[in-house]
Amino acid sequence: MKKLSLYIFLVLMFYSLGNISKAETYDELEIRAVKKLQNEYLSCYAFYSISEGILDPKDESLKYIIEQKDSVLQGAMDIEFSLLALAGEELLDDERLFKDKIEPKLEEVFKEIMEQWENDPEKSLVSERNKFCQEILNSPRPRIEYWIKKLQE
């Protein structure tokens, strides 16, 4: 996760120090793409939290779910930390960062994921969601590039 945080921070810094007229538009685009990635992390956090809540405590996959939940939350917090640093805002400790910046975003995401979960009786979205979350955890760069292209359309 520290690699992700450093990568995001350096990408944002690079674009903000580049050509001013180009940076004004591209930097904003890059920040929006990183925020989209952060929302995806929060979506994965909600998914893993819901999964954790419905699994039997004796289920062997529970440890994996908890590890993944913690990883995606850390990714979302690393992004928020980088965005605060880039904006020159006060850097918050983990508890305040979660309470002030992350938690409000989670309410909407939890609601969305619960609706998807309830409307998927075969639970076919579960394996798809897990695969997606693994992809963004293991390799966030392609997602940032995807969002940049998507936002340029």
Side-chain angles (χ1 to χ4, degrees):
M1 275 304 132
K2 291 195 187 286
K3 276 174 86 175
L4 168 66
S5 181
L6 180 60
Y7 168 73
I8 291 169
F9 184 74
L10 291 175
V11 165
L12 294 175
M13 287 299 293
F14 171 75
Y15 288 111
S16 68
L17 296 174
N19 177 339
I20 295 301
S21 63
K22 182 179 177 187
E24 286 175 353
T25 58
Y26 197 78
D27 185 47
E28 183 178 299
L29 183 66
E30 183 76 18
I31 290 171
R32 287 176 46 214
V34 169
K35 286 180 178 180
K36 293 283 191 182
L37 176 67
Q38 182 185 40
N39 286 337
E40 290 175 339
Y41 276 130
L42 294 175
S43 173
C44 290
Y45 177 80
F47 165 72
Y48 287 126
S49 294
I50 292 167
S51 299
E52 178 185 15
I54 63 168
L55 283 177
D56 183 331
K58 297 174 189 166
D59 193 319
E60 293 177 13
S61 60
L62 188 59
K63 182 180 176 186
Y64 165 81
I65 295 293
I66 293 169
E67 288 172 359
Q68 297 307 98
K69 182 182 82 163
D70 292 344
S71 294
V72 293
L73 178 61
Q74 188 60 54
M77 290 178 66
D78 287 348
I79 290 172
E80 192 66 40
F81 181 77
S82 296
L83 293 170
L84 288 171
L86 186 64
E89 294 182 26
E90 176 188 0
L91 300 181
L92 308 172
D93 61 56
D94 282 355
E95 188 176 324
R96 266 190 64 209
L97 180 67
F98 181 81
K99 186 175 185 258
D100 295 352
K101 300 288 184 175
I102 302 296
E103 198 170 45
K105 296 175 184 178
L106 276 175
E107 290 178 30
E108 182 180 321
V109 173
F110 265 105
K111 184 179 176 182
E112 177 185 318
I113 294 295
M114 274 307 288
E115 286 175 11
Q116 289 176 359
W117 195 284
E118 290 168 356
N119 293 327
D120 184 25
E122 287 91 41
K123 303 299 179 225
S124 58
L125 290 177
V126 172
S127 62
E128 290 175 32
R129 175 72 66 169
N130 184 48
K131 182 181 176 190
F132 171 75
C133 292
Q134 284 303 303
E135 288 173 4
I136 65 170
L137 268 175
N138 294 330
S139 188
R141 176 182 268 164
R143 282 311 282 180
I144 293 172
E145 292 168 358
Y146 163 82
W147 281 115
I148 289 171
K149 288 178 185 172
K150 185 94 170 153
L151 292 168
Q152 286 177 328
E153 294 175 351

